[in-house]
């Protein structure tokens, strides 16, 4: 057979980001929220690997004006694109970052009186006001002031100069798995919120729920914001939430190309440590992506990719730059054709959840593990 190839100007491995699907997801989320509830778009970790620039830009075009990031550095990147928006830092801020968060007007999450006092001193010295949220630990055991110790901090804040007390929030540890524990956390949080004097409370942003926030949300005050992350990027909502009815579309597809096709005899061991031995003569292909691009080694001998509209199995260990697949059932395969690792192609598909079941990871992790080496290609860009 002649050496047939498929040429194109596609890279070796890439992620396609469908901004039109993203925009439809935003619309569905907005429509599901009660009118008094603000949509805080979580865009940490480079917008879950989708590329924070285009993602924030599209959110702004859709009228979203509040963002949440992990840290000062990410906040600064978002500030550059969104000069007017409120930007919440979800994680701890280090003392040496105080100056930059103040300059960027980022909303800092405060977990104790020492942080509050130090930030207040800095803000006063700089003759500025730093917006702050108090994080309450209601049982996640991570950020925040332990709920039973929150009151002194809440009373201290309004007495400190240079701080603009803007909100209180908590985070659920088991929103997608335990209604009971989530309700315990919610009741602990509400007990704290109720102790804030009404005059102060009425101007606070009060938020607890992420994409999986259970409760059916009660739709009532005092909650007036939600922090939406993974749902925006198209992962299905959790049953029993205010988002239950919406069906978001996946935004990201992950693809690479076939770099070589060859036939190997029965008995040939494949890849590092010979974890797979061919039991018959087999036509194999090399996909030009590996764990250096974001395919976990846990997916070795387990994952399936889509090639020419057919699902084909991964053979042997995933390596840094290449992954071997069995293309015996795909006679039309040629060097250069795309292989889909996550997403749809020619009527066949692999969902992120399925990819994660092979890779031993969670959806958030799979998305943020697609590495820098993988360029993001955007569909649905809008010319302004
Ligand atoms: C990441 C994060 C979120 C968003 O969670 P999703 O499950 O992706 O919606 C919300 N709140 C906090 C504190 C977070 O760290």
């Amino acid at each position: 057979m002649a050496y047939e190839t498929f040429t194109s100007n596609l890279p070796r491995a890439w992620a396609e980001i469908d901004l039109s699907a993203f925009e439809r997801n935003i619309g569905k989320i907005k429509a599901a929220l009660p009118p008094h509830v603000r949509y805080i778009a979580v865009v940490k970790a480079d917008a879950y690997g989708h590329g924070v620039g285009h993602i924030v830009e599209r959110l702004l075009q859709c009228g979203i004006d509040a963002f949440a990031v992990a840290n000062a550095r990410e906040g600064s990147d978002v500030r550059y694109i969104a000069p007017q928006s409120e930007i919440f830092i979800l994680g701890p801020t280090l003392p040496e970052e105080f100056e930059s968060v103040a300059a960027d007007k980022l909303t800092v999450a405060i977990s104790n009186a020492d942080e509050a006092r130090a930030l207040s001193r800095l803000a006063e010295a700089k003759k500025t006001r730093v917006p702050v949220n108090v994080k309450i630990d209601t049982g996640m055991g991570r950020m925040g002031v332990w709920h039973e110790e929150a009151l002194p901090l809440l009373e201290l804040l309004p007495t400190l100069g240079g701080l603009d007390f803007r909100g209180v929030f908590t985070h659920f540890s088991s929103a997608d798995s335990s209604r009971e524990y989530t309700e315990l956390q919610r009741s602990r949080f509400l007990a704290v919120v109720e102790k804030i004097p009404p005059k102060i409370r009425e101007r606070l942003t009060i938020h607890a729920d992420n994409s999986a926030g259970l409760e059916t949300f009660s739709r009532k005050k005092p909650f007036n914001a939600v922090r939406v992350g993974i749902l925006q990027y198209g992962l299905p909502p959790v049953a029993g939430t205010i988002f239950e009815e919406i069906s978001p579309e996946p935004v990201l597809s992950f693809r690479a190309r076939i770099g070589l096709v060859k036939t190997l005899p029965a008995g040939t061991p494949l890849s590092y440590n010979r974890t797979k031995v061919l039991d018959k003569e087999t036509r194999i292909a090399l996909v030009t992506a590996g764990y250096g691009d974001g395919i976990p080694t846990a997916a070795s001998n387990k994952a399936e990719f889509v090639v020419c509209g057919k699902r084909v199995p991964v053979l042997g260990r995933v390596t840094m730059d290449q992954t071997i697949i069995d293309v015996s059932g795909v006679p039309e395969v040629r060097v250069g054709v795309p292989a889909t690792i996550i997403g749809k192609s020619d009527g066949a598909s692999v969902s992120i959840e399925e990819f994660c079941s092979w890779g031993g990871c969670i959806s958030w992790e799979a998305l943020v593990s697609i590495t820098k080496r993988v360029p993001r290609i955007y569909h649905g860009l809008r010319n302004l």
Side-chain angles (χ1 to χ4, degrees), residues 75-107:
S76 175
D77 291 344
V78 174
R79 174 57 77 220
Y80 186 73
I81 315 163
Q84 306 297 332
S85 304
E86 183 159 19
I87 301 169
F88 298 84
I89 297 179
L90 297 172
T93 298
L94 299 169
E96 62 267 31
E97 293 169 329
F98 286 174
E99 211 172 313
S100 81
V101 297
D104 284 330
K105 293 271 175 219
L106 306 177
T107 302

PDB file of all heavy atoms in Angstrom, residues 75-107:
ATOM      1  N   GLY A  75      -5.572  36.473  40.157  1.00  0.00           N
ATOM      2  CA  GLY A  75      -6.451  37.642  40.248  1.00  0.00           C
ATOM      3  C   GLY A  75      -5.925  38.793  39.413  1.00  0.00           C
ATOM      4  O   GLY A  75      -6.681  39.503  38.732  1.00  0.00           O
ATOM      5  N   SER A  76      -4.617  38.946  39.442  1.00  0.00           N
ATOM      6  CA  SER A  76      -3.990  40.008  38.688  1.00  0.00           C
ATOM      7  C   SER A  76      -4.191  39.799  37.177  1.00  0.00           C
ATOM      8  O   SER A  76      -4.455  40.743  36.427  1.00  0.00           O
ATOM      9  CB  SER A  76      -2.527  40.006  39.105  1.00  0.00           C
ATOM     10  OG  SER A  76      -1.815  40.900  38.385  1.00  0.00           O
ATOM     11  N   ASP A  77      -4.108  38.545  36.738  1.00  0.00           N
ATOM     12  CA  ASP A  77      -4.361  38.234  35.318  1.00  0.00           C
ATOM     13  C   ASP A  77      -5.800  38.582  34.928  1.00  0.00           C
ATOM     14  O   ASP A  77      -6.051  39.110  33.847  1.00  0.00           O
ATOM     15  CB  ASP A  77      -4.123  36.742  35.035  1.00  0.00           C
ATOM     16  CG  ASP A  77      -2.650  36.355  35.130  1.00  0.00           C
ATOM     17  OD1 ASP A  77      -1.798  37.263  35.113  1.00  0.00           O
ATOM     18  OD2 ASP A  77      -2.365  35.145  35.230  1.00  0.00           O
ATOM     19  N   VAL A  78      -6.738  38.263  35.804  1.00  0.00           N
ATOM     20  CA  VAL A  78      -8.146  38.547  35.484  1.00  0.00           C
ATOM     21  C   VAL A  78      -8.393  40.061  35.526  1.00  0.00           C
ATOM     22  O   VAL A  78      -9.123  40.606  34.693  1.00  0.00           O
ATOM     23  CB  VAL A  78      -9.110  37.793  36.435  1.00  0.00           C
ATOM     24  CG1 VAL A  78     -10.563  38.205  36.184  1.00  0.00           C
ATOM     25  CG2 VAL A  78      -8.958  36.285  36.254  1.00  0.00           C
ATOM     26  N   ARG A  79      -7.758  40.736  36.481  1.00  0.00           N
ATOM     27  CA  ARG A  79      -7.939  42.195  36.589  1.00  0.00           C
ATOM     28  C   ARG A  79      -7.570  42.900  35.287  1.00  0.00           C
ATOM     29  O   ARG A  79      -8.225  43.848  34.849  1.00  0.00           O
ATOM     30  CB  ARG A  79      -7.107  42.741  37.767  1.00  0.00           C
ATOM     31  CG  ARG A  79      -7.077  44.234  37.905  1.00  0.00           C
ATOM     32  CD  ARG A  79      -8.512  44.822  38.039  1.00  0.00           C
ATOM     33  NE  ARG A  79      -9.088  44.645  39.352  1.00  0.00           N
ATOM     34  CZ  ARG A  79     -10.388  44.315  39.551  1.00  0.00           C
ATOM     35  NH1 ARG A  79     -11.206  44.107  38.544  1.00  0.00           N
ATOM     36  NH2 ARG A  79     -10.873  44.188  40.770  1.00  0.00           N
ATOM     37  N   TYR A  80      -6.544  42.391  34.629  1.00  0.00           N
ATOM     38  CA  TYR A  80      -6.069  42.976  33.380  1.00  0.00           C
ATOM     39  C   TYR A  80      -7.161  42.933  32.298  1.00  0.00           C
ATOM     40  O   TYR A  80      -7.302  43.852  31.503  1.00  0.00           O
ATOM     41  CB  TYR A  80      -4.834  42.176  32.925  1.00  0.00           C
ATOM     42  CG  TYR A  80      -4.137  42.741  31.732  1.00  0.00           C
ATOM     43  CD1 TYR A  80      -3.377  43.901  31.842  1.00  0.00           C
ATOM     44  CD2 TYR A  80      -4.247  42.113  30.489  1.00  0.00           C
ATOM     45  CE1 TYR A  80      -2.737  44.424  30.736  1.00  0.00           C
ATOM     46  CE2 TYR A  80      -3.599  42.626  29.384  1.00  0.00           C
ATOM     47  CZ  TYR A  80      -2.852  43.786  29.515  1.00  0.00           C
ATOM     48  OH  TYR A  80      -2.209  44.305  28.431  1.00  0.00           O
ATOM     49  N   ILE A  81      -7.946  41.860  32.316  1.00  0.00           N
ATOM     50  CA  ILE A  81      -8.996  41.683  31.299  1.00  0.00           C
ATOM     51  C   ILE A  81     -10.307  42.311  31.757  1.00  0.00           C
ATOM     52  O   ILE A  81     -11.122  42.734  30.937  1.00  0.00           O
ATOM     53  CB  ILE A  81      -9.261  40.168  31.039  1.00  0.00           C
ATOM     54  CG1 ILE A  81      -7.951  39.402  30.897  1.00  0.00           C
ATOM     55  CG2 ILE A  81     -10.140  39.964  29.817  1.00  0.00           C
ATOM     56  CD1 ILE A  81      -8.100  37.905  31.055  1.00  0.00           C
ATOM     57  N   ALA A  82     -10.525  42.340  33.067  1.00  0.00           N
ATOM     58  CA  ALA A  82     -11.804  42.778  33.614  1.00  0.00           C
ATOM     59  C   ALA A  82     -11.571  43.924  34.604  1.00  0.00           C
ATOM     60  O   ALA A  82     -11.624  43.722  35.816  1.00  0.00           O
ATOM     61  CB  ALA A  82     -12.498  41.602  34.300  1.00  0.00           C
ATOM     62  N   PRO A  83     -11.300  45.125  34.090  1.00  0.00           N
ATOM     63  CA  PRO A  83     -10.888  46.215  34.987  1.00  0.00           C
ATOM     64  C   PRO A  83     -11.950  46.632  36.011  1.00  0.00           C
ATOM     65  O   PRO A  83     -11.598  47.139  37.073  1.00  0.00           O
ATOM     66  CB  PRO A  83     -10.566  47.369  34.024  1.00  0.00           C
ATOM     67  CG  PRO A  83     -11.016  46.959  32.675  1.00  0.00           C
ATOM     68  CD  PRO A  83     -11.231  45.487  32.668  1.00  0.00           C
ATOM     69  N   GLN A  84     -13.228  46.396  35.700  1.00  0.00           N
ATOM     70  CA  GLN A  84     -14.290  46.883  36.591  1.00  0.00           C
ATOM     71  C   GLN A  84     -14.883  45.814  37.506  1.00  0.00           C
ATOM     72  O   GLN A  84     -15.666  46.133  38.388  1.00  0.00           O
ATOM     73  CB  GLN A  84     -15.457  47.460  35.756  1.00  0.00           C
ATOM     74  CG  GLN A  84     -15.060  48.521  34.750  1.00  0.00           C
ATOM     75  CD  GLN A  84     -14.472  49.752  35.429  1.00  0.00           C
ATOM     76  OE1 GLN A  84     -14.792  50.062  36.575  1.00  0.00           O
ATOM     77  NE2 GLN A  84     -13.591  50.439  34.727  1.00  0.00           N
ATOM     78  N   SER A  85     -14.594  44.558  37.246  1.00  0.00           N
ATOM     79  CA  SER A  85     -15.329  43.478  37.924  1.00  0.00           C
ATOM     80  C   SER A  85     -14.839  43.246  39.344  1.00  0.00           C
ATOM     81  O   SER A  85     -13.709  43.581  39.690  1.00  0.00           O
ATOM     82  CB  SER A  85     -15.173  42.180  37.143  1.00  0.00           C
ATOM     83  OG  SER A  85     -15.594  42.364  35.820  1.00  0.00           O
ATOM     84  N   GLU A  86     -15.703  42.603  40.142  1.00  0.00           N
ATOM     85  CA  GLU A  86     -15.248  42.148  41.450  1.00  0.00           C
ATOM     86  C   GLU A  86     -14.528  40.816  41.261  1.00  0.00           C
ATOM     87  O   GLU A  86     -15.027  39.926  40.576  1.00  0.00           O
ATOM     88  CB  GLU A  86     -16.418  41.993  42.420  1.00  0.00           C
ATOM     89  CG  GLU A  86     -15.923  41.586  43.799  1.00  0.00           C
ATOM     90  CD  GLU A  86     -16.888  41.890  44.942  1.00  0.00           C
ATOM     91  OE1 GLU A  86     -18.096  42.082  44.687  1.00  0.00           O
ATOM     92  OE2 GLU A  86     -16.423  41.933  46.083  1.00  0.00           O
ATOM     93  N   ILE A  87     -13.352  40.701  41.842  1.00  0.00           N
ATOM     94  CA  ILE A  87     -12.562  39.475  41.693  1.00  0.00           C
ATOM     95  C   ILE A  87     -12.250  38.922  43.074  1.00  0.00           C
ATOM     96  O   ILE A  87     -11.562  39.561  43.873  1.00  0.00           O
ATOM     97  CB  ILE A  87     -11.264  39.752  40.909  1.00  0.00           C
ATOM     98  CG1 ILE A  87     -11.597  40.319  39.514  1.00  0.00           C
ATOM     99  CG2 ILE A  87     -10.427  38.476  40.797  1.00  0.00           C
ATOM    100  CD1 ILE A  87     -10.393  40.866  38.754  1.00  0.00           C
ATOM    101  N   PHE A  88     -12.804  37.756  43.380  1.00  0.00           N
ATOM    102  CA  PHE A  88     -12.627  37.128  44.689  1.00  0.00           C
ATOM    103  C   PHE A  88     -11.434  36.190  44.659  1.00  0.00           C
ATOM    104  O   PHE A  88     -11.338  35.351  43.771  1.00  0.00           O
ATOM    105  CB  PHE A  88     -13.853  36.276  45.042  1.00  0.00           C
ATOM    106  CG  PHE A  88     -15.139  37.043  45.170  1.00  0.00           C
ATOM    107  CD1 PHE A  88     -15.907  37.339  44.047  1.00  0.00           C
ATOM    108  CD2 PHE A  88     -15.605  37.437  46.422  1.00  0.00           C
ATOM    109  CE1 PHE A  88     -17.100  38.033  44.159  1.00  0.00           C
ATOM    110  CE2 PHE A  88     -16.807  38.136  46.538  1.00  0.00           C
ATOM    111  CZ  PHE A  88     -17.551  38.436  45.415  1.00  0.00           C
ATOM    112  N   ILE A  89     -10.567  36.328  45.642  1.00  0.00           N
ATOM    113  CA  ILE A  89      -9.511  35.331  45.829  1.00  0.00           C
ATOM    114  C   ILE A  89     -10.063  34.282  46.788  1.00  0.00           C
ATOM    115  O   ILE A  89     -10.541  34.616  47.878  1.00  0.00           O
ATOM    116  CB  ILE A  89      -8.235  35.970  46.407  1.00  0.00           C
ATOM    117  CG1 ILE A  89      -7.669  36.999  45.420  1.00  0.00           C
ATOM    118  CG2 ILE A  89      -7.204  34.899  46.731  1.00  0.00           C
ATOM    119  CD1 ILE A  89      -6.419  37.701  45.925  1.00  0.00           C
ATOM    120  N   LEU A  90     -10.007  33.017  46.397  1.00  0.00           N
ATOM    121  CA  LEU A  90     -10.591  31.961  47.225  1.00  0.00           C
ATOM    122  C   LEU A  90      -9.600  31.412  48.244  1.00  0.00           C
ATOM    123  O   LEU A  90      -9.982  30.970  49.317  1.00  0.00           O
ATOM    124  CB  LEU A  90     -11.091  30.815  46.336  1.00  0.00           C
ATOM    125  CG  LEU A  90     -12.212  31.184  45.355  1.00  0.00           C
ATOM    126  CD1 LEU A  90     -12.490  30.026  44.401  1.00  0.00           C
ATOM    127  CD2 LEU A  90     -13.476  31.577  46.099  1.00  0.00           C
ATOM    128  N   GLY A  91      -8.323  31.411  47.900  1.00  0.00           N
ATOM    129  CA  GLY A  91      -7.315  30.820  48.774  1.00  0.00           C
ATOM    130  C   GLY A  91      -6.668  31.845  49.679  1.00  0.00           C
ATOM    131  O   GLY A  91      -7.040  33.020  49.676  1.00  0.00           O
ATOM    132  N   PRO A  92      -5.689  31.416  50.473  1.00  0.00           N
ATOM    133  CA  PRO A  92      -5.006  32.359  51.369  1.00  0.00           C
ATOM    134  C   PRO A  92      -4.107  33.320  50.570  1.00  0.00           C
ATOM    135  O   PRO A  92      -3.584  32.956  49.528  1.00  0.00           O
ATOM    136  CB  PRO A  92      -4.146  31.459  52.261  1.00  0.00           C
ATOM    137  CG  PRO A  92      -4.101  30.127  51.618  1.00  0.00           C
ATOM    138  CD  PRO A  92      -5.186  30.042  50.594  1.00  0.00           C
ATOM    139  N   THR A  93      -3.972  34.524  51.099  1.00  0.00           N
ATOM    140  CA  THR A  93      -3.078  35.515  50.492  1.00  0.00           C
ATOM    141  C   THR A  93      -1.852  35.643  51.389  1.00  0.00           C
ATOM    142  O   THR A  93      -1.983  35.771  52.611  1.00  0.00           O
ATOM    143  CB  THR A  93      -3.807  36.861  50.339  1.00  0.00           C
ATOM    144  OG1 THR A  93      -4.918  36.660  49.457  1.00  0.00           O
ATOM    145  CG2 THR A  93      -2.905  37.933  49.745  1.00  0.00           C
ATOM    146  N   LEU A  94      -0.682  35.559  50.805  1.00  0.00           N
ATOM    147  CA  LEU A  94       0.553  35.650  51.588  1.00  0.00           C
ATOM    148  C   LEU A  94       0.863  37.119  51.899  1.00  0.00           C
ATOM    149  O   LEU A  94       0.526  38.001  51.102  1.00  0.00           O
ATOM    150  CB  LEU A  94       1.711  35.044  50.790  1.00  0.00           C
ATOM    151  CG  LEU A  94       1.544  33.565  50.437  1.00  0.00           C
ATOM    152  CD1 LEU A  94       2.608  33.129  49.429  1.00  0.00           C
ATOM    153  CD2 LEU A  94       1.628  32.709  51.692  1.00  0.00           C
ATOM    154  N   PRO A  95       1.518  37.369  53.046  1.00  0.00           N
ATOM    155  CA  PRO A  95       1.797  38.762  53.420  1.00  0.00           C
ATOM    156  C   PRO A  95       2.496  39.549  52.313  1.00  0.00           C
ATOM    157  O   PRO A  95       2.186  40.714  52.082  1.00  0.00           O
ATOM    158  CB  PRO A  95       2.688  38.630  54.650  1.00  0.00           C
ATOM    159  CG  PRO A  95       2.378  37.287  55.211  1.00  0.00           C
ATOM    160  CD  PRO A  95       1.961  36.415  54.069  1.00  0.00           C
ATOM    161  N   GLU A  96       3.421  38.899  51.612  1.00  0.00           N
ATOM    162  CA  GLU A  96       4.142  39.648  50.578  1.00  0.00           C
ATOM    163  C   GLU A  96       3.272  39.948  49.350  1.00  0.00           C
ATOM    164  O   GLU A  96       3.686  40.683  48.464  1.00  0.00           O
ATOM    165  CB  GLU A  96       5.437  38.942  50.173  1.00  0.00           C
ATOM    166  CG  GLU A  96       5.255  37.570  49.572  1.00  0.00           C
ATOM    167  CD  GLU A  96       5.352  36.449  50.599  1.00  0.00           C
ATOM    168  OE1 GLU A  96       4.980  36.666  51.780  1.00  0.00           O
ATOM    169  OE2 GLU A  96       5.795  35.342  50.231  1.00  0.00           O
ATOM    170  N   GLU A  97       2.067  39.378  49.317  1.00  0.00           N
ATOM    171  CA  GLU A  97       1.153  39.661  48.201  1.00  0.00           C
ATOM    172  C   GLU A  97       0.164  40.789  48.529  1.00  0.00           C
ATOM    173  O   GLU A  97      -0.596  41.210  47.654  1.00  0.00           O
ATOM    174  CB  GLU A  97       0.362  38.397  47.828  1.00  0.00           C
ATOM    175  CG  GLU A  97       1.216  37.286  47.249  1.00  0.00           C
ATOM    176  CD  GLU A  97       0.479  35.953  47.139  1.00  0.00           C
ATOM    177  OE1 GLU A  97      -0.420  35.671  47.960  1.00  0.00           O
ATOM    178  OE2 GLU A  97       0.817  35.178  46.242  1.00  0.00           O
ATOM    179  N   PHE A  98       0.153  41.229  49.777  1.00  0.00           N
ATOM    180  CA  PHE A  98      -0.844  42.231  50.187  1.00  0.00           C
ATOM    181  C   PHE A  98      -0.799  43.478  49.308  1.00  0.00           C
ATOM    182  O   PHE A  98      -1.816  44.035  48.926  1.00  0.00           O
ATOM    183  CB  PHE A  98      -0.654  42.637  51.653  1.00  0.00           C
ATOM    184  CG  PHE A  98      -1.112  41.597  52.652  1.00  0.00           C
ATOM    185  CD1 PHE A  98      -0.875  41.778  54.015  1.00  0.00           C
ATOM    186  CD2 PHE A  98      -1.789  40.457  52.249  1.00  0.00           C
ATOM    187  CE1 PHE A  98      -1.297  40.833  54.957  1.00  0.00           C
ATOM    188  CE2 PHE A  98      -2.210  39.502  53.174  1.00  0.00           C
ATOM    189  CZ  PHE A  98      -1.963  39.693  54.527  1.00  0.00           C
ATOM    190  N   GLU A  99       0.422  43.904  49.014  1.00  0.00           N
ATOM    191  CA  GLU A  99       0.560  45.130  48.246  1.00  0.00           C
ATOM    192  C   GLU A  99      -0.046  44.984  46.849  1.00  0.00           C
ATOM    193  O   GLU A  99      -0.763  45.870  46.371  1.00  0.00           O
ATOM    194  CB  GLU A  99       2.044  45.496  48.146  1.00  0.00           C
ATOM    195  CG  GLU A  99       2.226  46.974  48.061  1.00  0.00           C
ATOM    196  CD  GLU A  99       3.695  47.387  48.151  1.00  0.00           C
ATOM    197  OE1 GLU A  99       4.430  46.887  49.043  1.00  0.00           O
ATOM    198  OE2 GLU A  99       4.094  48.217  47.318  1.00  0.00           O
ATOM    199  N   SER A 100       0.205  43.845  46.221  1.00  0.00           N
ATOM    200  CA  SER A 100      -0.305  43.680  44.858  1.00  0.00           C
ATOM    201  C   SER A 100      -1.818  43.474  44.859  1.00  0.00           C
ATOM    202  O   SER A 100      -2.503  43.961  43.963  1.00  0.00           O
ATOM    203  CB  SER A 100       0.437  42.569  44.119  1.00  0.00           C
ATOM    204  OG  SER A 100      -0.064  41.306  44.469  1.00  0.00           O
ATOM    205  N   VAL A 101      -2.365  42.766  45.844  1.00  0.00           N
ATOM    206  CA  VAL A 101      -3.826  42.601  45.850  1.00  0.00           C
ATOM    207  C   VAL A 101      -4.524  43.940  46.095  1.00  0.00           C
ATOM    208  O   VAL A 101      -5.587  44.213  45.532  1.00  0.00           O
ATOM    209  CB  VAL A 101      -4.344  41.541  46.851  1.00  0.00           C
ATOM    210  CG1 VAL A 101      -3.832  40.161  46.506  1.00  0.00           C
ATOM    211  CG2 VAL A 101      -4.059  41.892  48.287  1.00  0.00           C
ATOM    212  N   ALA A 102      -3.868  44.781  46.907  1.00  0.00           N
ATOM    213  CA  ALA A 102      -4.450  46.108  47.147  1.00  0.00           C
ATOM    214  C   ALA A 102      -4.430  46.926  45.860  1.00  0.00           C
ATOM    215  O   ALA A 102      -5.416  47.568  45.497  1.00  0.00           O
ATOM    216  CB  ALA A 102      -3.675  46.822  48.257  1.00  0.00           C
ATOM    217  N   ALA A 103      -3.300  46.863  45.151  1.00  0.00           N
ATOM    218  CA  ALA A 103      -3.180  47.626  43.904  1.00  0.00           C
ATOM    219  C   ALA A 103      -4.188  47.141  42.867  1.00  0.00           C
ATOM    220  O   ALA A 103      -4.744  47.934  42.107  1.00  0.00           O
ATOM    221  CB  ALA A 103      -1.759  47.512  43.363  1.00  0.00           C
ATOM    222  N   ASP A 104      -4.435  45.827  42.842  1.00  0.00           N
ATOM    223  CA  ASP A 104      -5.357  45.258  41.846  1.00  0.00           C
ATOM    224  C   ASP A 104      -6.814  45.259  42.321  1.00  0.00           C
ATOM    225  O   ASP A 104      -7.679  44.751  41.613  1.00  0.00           O
ATOM    226  CB  ASP A 104      -4.938  43.820  41.505  1.00  0.00           C
ATOM    227  CG  ASP A 104      -3.716  43.781  40.593  1.00  0.00           C
ATOM    228  OD1 ASP A 104      -3.545  44.717  39.797  1.00  0.00           O
ATOM    229  OD2 ASP A 104      -2.945  42.805  40.689  1.00  0.00           O
ATOM    230  N   LYS A 105      -7.061  45.758  43.542  1.00  0.00           N
ATOM    231  CA  LYS A 105      -8.424  45.790  44.092  1.00  0.00           C
ATOM    232  C   LYS A 105      -9.072  44.406  44.077  1.00  0.00           C
ATOM    233  O   LYS A 105     -10.231  44.252  43.671  1.00  0.00           O
ATOM    234  CB  LYS A 105      -9.309  46.774  43.308  1.00  0.00           C
ATOM    235  CG  LYS A 105      -8.897  48.228  43.460  1.00  0.00           C
ATOM    236  CD  LYS A 105      -9.606  48.857  44.668  1.00  0.00           C
ATOM    237  CE  LYS A 105      -9.127  50.280  44.929  1.00  0.00           C
ATOM    238  NZ  LYS A 105      -8.980  50.592  46.354  1.00  0.00           N
ATOM    239  N   LEU A 106      -8.308  43.412  44.494  1.00  0.00           N
ATOM    240  CA  LEU A 106      -8.851  42.056  44.563  1.00  0.00           C
ATOM    241  C   LEU A 106      -9.501  41.871  45.928  1.00  0.00           C
ATOM    242  O   LEU A 106      -9.050  42.442  46.928  1.00  0.00           O
ATOM    243  CB  LEU A 106      -7.732  41.032  44.366  1.00  0.00           C
ATOM    244  CG  LEU A 106      -6.886  41.211  43.106  1.00  0.00           C
ATOM    245  CD1 LEU A 106      -5.756  40.190  43.062  1.00  0.00           C
ATOM    246  CD2 LEU A 106      -7.763  41.096  41.856  1.00  0.00           C
ATOM    247  N   THR A 107     -10.559  41.070  45.980  1.00  0.00           N
ATOM    248  CA  THR A 107     -11.246  40.817  47.241  1.00  0.00           C
ATOM    249  C   THR A 107     -10.568  39.647  47.946  1.00  0.00           C
ATOM    250  O   THR A 107     -10.578  38.515  47.459  1.00  0.00           O
ATOM    251  CB  THR A 107     -12.737  40.524  46.989  1.00  0.00           C
ATOM    252  OG1 THR A 107     -13.305  41.643  46.298  1.00  0.00           O
ATOM    253  CG2 THR A 107     -13.488  40.297  48.288  1.00  0.00           C
TER     254      THR A 107
END
